């Protein structure tokens, strides 16, 4: 039995359990965020996100238009409305070709139409996704579940796209730098505190030393860096 689902017109990998025990084990892994799901998509526009970029929204289903069709929309409030659910993904551009971009996406939540809505909201609707502002395309929606990682096991399947839609390169080239999407945001402040503690006797700012390391090597966001410096200031200068 299928353990999760793919949106209609989305191709690619689907987890299926052959026994009840397998279905239960895989379902528990999904619930515990123990399954990594990566997608490939062609989007309209020239995407400049060569480094992984995390997108955060609150999504809700709405009835729109004179015909009363249902669509998923992104809320405008940062905290989300009562019927809005948090949606999160990380996206990285792999290549740009003739005004369109091939992007790699990792889901952190599994909301209906999540990828389509979140990218469309940033001006990058999916090719073939007329519902959310994308151009029509022969062959349909260009969205494919390309990789599933369950524990230590990884499953891959390149999309069957032909012609200009065929991805260049190998699966090994389609990846996310681990430090940029899987390290907890609490790690930089903790490391900063340790470094600050051992360098404080010499009057050296551990947070200052860590700043280039965080930004250039780990690729942490400004939010994480600010948290690092704030924690350093609290412990090194309690009265400041």
């Amino acid at each position: 039995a299928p353990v999760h689902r793919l949106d209609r017109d989305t191709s690619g990998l689907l987890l299926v359990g052959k026994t009840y025990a397998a279905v239960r084990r895989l379902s528990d892994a999904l619930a515990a965020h123990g399954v990594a799901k990566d997608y490939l998509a062609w989007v309209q526009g020239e995407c400049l996100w060569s480094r992984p970029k995390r997108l955060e929204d609150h999504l809700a289903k709405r009835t729109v238009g004179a015909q009363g069709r249902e669509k998923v929309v992104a809320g405008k409030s940062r905290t989300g409305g009562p019927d809005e659910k948090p949606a999160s993904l990380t996206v990285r551009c792999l290549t740009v070709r003739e005004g369109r971009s091939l992007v790699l996406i990792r889901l952190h939540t599994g909301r209906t139409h999540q990828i389509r809505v979140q990218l469309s909201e940033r001006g990058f609707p999916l090719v073939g996704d007329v519902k959310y502002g994308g151009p029509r395309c022969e062959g349909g929606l260009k969205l494919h579940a390309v990789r599933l990682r369950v524990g230590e096991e990884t499953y891959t399947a390149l999309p069957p796209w032909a012609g200009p839609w065929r991805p260049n390169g190998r699966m090994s080239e389609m990846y996310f730098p681990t430090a940029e999407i899987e390290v907890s945001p609490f790690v930089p402040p903790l490391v900063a505190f340790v470094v600050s503690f051992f360098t404080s006797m010499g009057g050296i700012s551990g947070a200052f030393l860590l700043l280039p390391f965080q930004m250039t090597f780990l690729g942490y966001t400004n939010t994480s860096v600010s948290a690092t410096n704030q924690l350093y200031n609290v412990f090194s200068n309690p009265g400041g």
Side-chain angles (χ1 to χ4, degrees):
V3 178
H4 65 111
R5 59 176 177 78
L6 294 175
D7 288 344
R8 189 174 65 177
D9 299 328
T10 302
S11 58
L13 293 166
L14 184 69
L15 277 178
V16 176
K18 296 177 66 175
T19 65
Y20 174 79
V23 171
R24 183 63 181 272
R25 178 176 61 86
L26 292 172
S27 297
D28 290 344
L30 278 170
H33 303 287
V35 177
K37 295 186 286 186
D38 293 348
Y39 290 76
L40 283 177
W42 279 101
V43 300
Q44 185 70 17
E46 297 186 1
C47 180
L48 302 179
W49 300 331
S50 57
R51 293 176 64 86
K53 182 177 180 64
R54 187 150 181 156
L55 307 183
E56 305 276 357
D57 291 288
H58 288 84
L59 306 182
K61 293 181 180 180
R62 295 283 187 268
T63 300
V64 299
Q67 298 179 344
R69 294 183 177 178
E70 188 178 78
K71 290 183 67 175
V72 177
V73 299
K76 302 306 179 184
S77 170
R78 289 188 177 184
T79 57
D83 62 340
E84 296 175 357
K85 297 180 179 180
S88 175
L89 60 79
T90 298
V91 59
R92 175 189 173 217
C93 181
L94 299 177
T95 187
V96 176
R97 188 186 303 166
E98 298 181 359
R100 291 166 179 169
S101 305
L102 179 66
V103 296
L104 180 66
I105 302 148
R106 175 162 296 178
L107 284 179
H108 306 302
T109 56
R111 310 303 181 197
T112 301
H113 297 178
Q114 175 181 340
I115 293 173
R116 300 160 63 183
V117 175
Q118 290 196 268
L119 288 175
S120 179
E121 281 289 312
R122 272 78 179 178
F124 299 113
L126 270 64
V127 172
D129 190 9
V130 178
K131 183 171 185 175
Y132 292 103
R136 294 187 181 277
C137 178
E138 183 177 355
L141 183 67
K142 293 296 180 282
L143 178 61
H144 180 85
V146 69
R147 178 165 46 220
L148 285 170
R149 191 184 68 204
V150 185
E152 299 299 321
E153 299 178 356
T154 300
Y155 307 93
T156 61
L158 285 170
W161 303 331
W165 310 114
R166 185 186 301 277
N168 294 330
R170 298 168 294 180
M171 279 299 307
S172 59
E173 299 170 352
M174 303 175 189
Y175 68 95
F176 287 106
T178 302
E180 298 197 55
I181 62 172
E182 295 184 350
V183 175
S184 167
F186 297 105
V187 170
L190 179 61
V191 175
F193 170 68
V194 173
V195 174
S196 300
F197 179 80
F198 285 106
T199 58
S200 59
M201 289 185 293
I204 303 173
S205 169
F208 177 78
L209 291 175
L210 276 178
L211 183 59
F213 171 73
Q214 292 177 103
M215 296 301 293
T216 60
F217 182 75
L218 294 180
Y220 286 119
T221 64
N222 290 332
T223 302
S224 297
V225 173
S226 297
T228 300
N229 293 331
Q230 180 64 28
L231 188 64
Y232 169 76
N233 291 332
V234 168
F235 281 95
S236 64
N237 187 20

